[in-house]
């Protein structure tokens, strides 16, 4: 009761309806900012009278990791599907979950499959890095969205050709994720060479002497 007002910046890019959802007690529906600063990294303004921004001259071009519709809400507006279809989405990472939720909200009957026992894919692995533990909020928000949209989720099931033939969907969305890049050098396929994702996921054991190839954040 001591504050005259509360100001939010990036949080409202991630979810412009945050204050209203909070006022109504719908905290689980808030799409939370992960303060990755990608919005600021992509901010562009007019230089020498010529706009290098997305949109009109003089306006900022802003992106958001968790809200792709920021400043493009009309473009991303969902419209009911003219013909509802039965859709299989293969892959439960953030791309697969986003596709499944969006399709269901448009009126399609959607089932999401993933061979793992938990949703999140490689994003979930990234959350294991201590500095990125708060990235879990993206997965939590998407899971809530799947439930609200009525998406059926089937975990621990690797999709095969026969399974697709049995399900007889009208459409299949393949969202099985990217494959990590390897090294084109002799010995790179040896048993003592692993990907960083395998280490974070706890699927690889490393010894006392380790060489790390790659200098990015992960």
């Amino acid at each position: 009761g001591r504050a005259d007002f509360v100001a939010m910046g990036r949080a409202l890019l991630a979810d412009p309806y945050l204050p209203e959802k909070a006022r109504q007690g719908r905290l689980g529906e808030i799409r939370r900012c992960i303060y990755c600063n990608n919005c600021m990294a992509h901010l562009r303004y007019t230089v020498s009278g010529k706009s290098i921004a997305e949109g009109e001259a003089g306006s900022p071009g802003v992106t958001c990791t968790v809200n792709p519709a920021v400043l493009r809400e009309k473009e991303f507006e969902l419209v009911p599907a003219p013909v509802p279809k039965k859709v299989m989405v293969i892959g439960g990472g953030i791309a697969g979950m986003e596709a499944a939720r969006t399709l269901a909200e448009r009126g399609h009957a959607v089932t999401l499959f993933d061979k793992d026992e938990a949703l999140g894919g490689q994003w979930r692995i990234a959350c294991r890095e201590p500095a990125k533990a708060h990235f879990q909020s993206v997965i939590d928000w998407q899971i809530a969205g799947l439930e609200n949209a009525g998406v059926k989720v089937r975990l621990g099931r690797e999709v095969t050709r026969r399974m697709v033939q049995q399900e007889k969907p009208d459409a299949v969305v393949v969202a099985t994720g990217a494959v990590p890049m390897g090294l084109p050098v002799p010995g790179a396929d040896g048993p003592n060479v692993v990907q960083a994702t395998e280490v974070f996921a706890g699927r690889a054991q490393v010894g006392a002497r380790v060489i790390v190839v790659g200098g990015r954040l992960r």
Side-chain angles (χ1 to χ4, degrees), residues 1-178:
R2 295 184 179 182
D4 294 312
F5 65 90
V6 176
M8 297 182 184
R10 292 171 296 172
L12 295 181
L13 295 179
D15 193 339
Y17 299 102
L18 185 156
E20 182 64 11
K21 291 177 180 178
R23 186 182 68 83
Q24 297 178 359
R26 296 155 51 202
L27 301 181
E29 297 180 26
I30 294 175
R31 178 156 39 184
R32 299 180 183 276
C33 172
I34 59 174
Y35 40 94
C36 61
N37 265 352
N38 280 340
C39 55
M40 304 306 296
H42 291 84
L43 193 63
R44 297 292 183 270
Y45 289 100
T46 300
V47 176
S48 300
K50 295 183 179 180
S51 176
I52 55 174
E54 295 179 357
E56 299 178 356
S59 65
V62 180
T63 63
C64 178
T65 298
V66 300
N67 179 15
V70 63
L71 297 186
R72 294 187 292 168
E73 288 81 4
K74 190 65 177 178
E75 178 184 340
F76 278 72
E77 184 178 3
L78 295 181
V79 296
V83 180
K85 296 181 179 181
K86 179 180 179 180
V87 183
M88 288 180 66
V89 177
I90 305 173
I94 56 174
M97 288 192 286
E98 184 75 9
R101 177 185 58 79
T102 301
L103 288 166
E105 289 180 346
R106 294 193 61 207
H108 297 294
V110 184
T111 304
L112 174 65
F113 295 84
D114 196 281
K115 64 181 180 180
D116 290 335
E117 295 294 339
L119 293 168
Q122 295 189 61
W123 189 273
R124 190 177 78 253
I125 296 175
C127 294
R128 292 175 179 262
E129 203 278 312
K132 296 180 180 179
H134 61 285
F135 282 18
Q136 178 65 34
S137 65
V138 177
I139 298 176
D140 295 339
W141 182 86
Q142 288 193 311
I143 291 176
L146 295 176
E147 295 174 352
N148 292 336
V151 175
K152 297 179 181 179
V153 178
R154 301 289 183 266
L155 298 177
R157 301 183 64 181
E158 186 170 3
V159 177
T160 62
R161 179 189 294 270
R162 184 173 182 178
M163 187 184 299
V164 175
Q165 293 171 339
Q166 291 175 341
E167 290 285 334
K168 297 181 180 179
D170 299 306
V172 176
V173 177
V174 180
T176 51

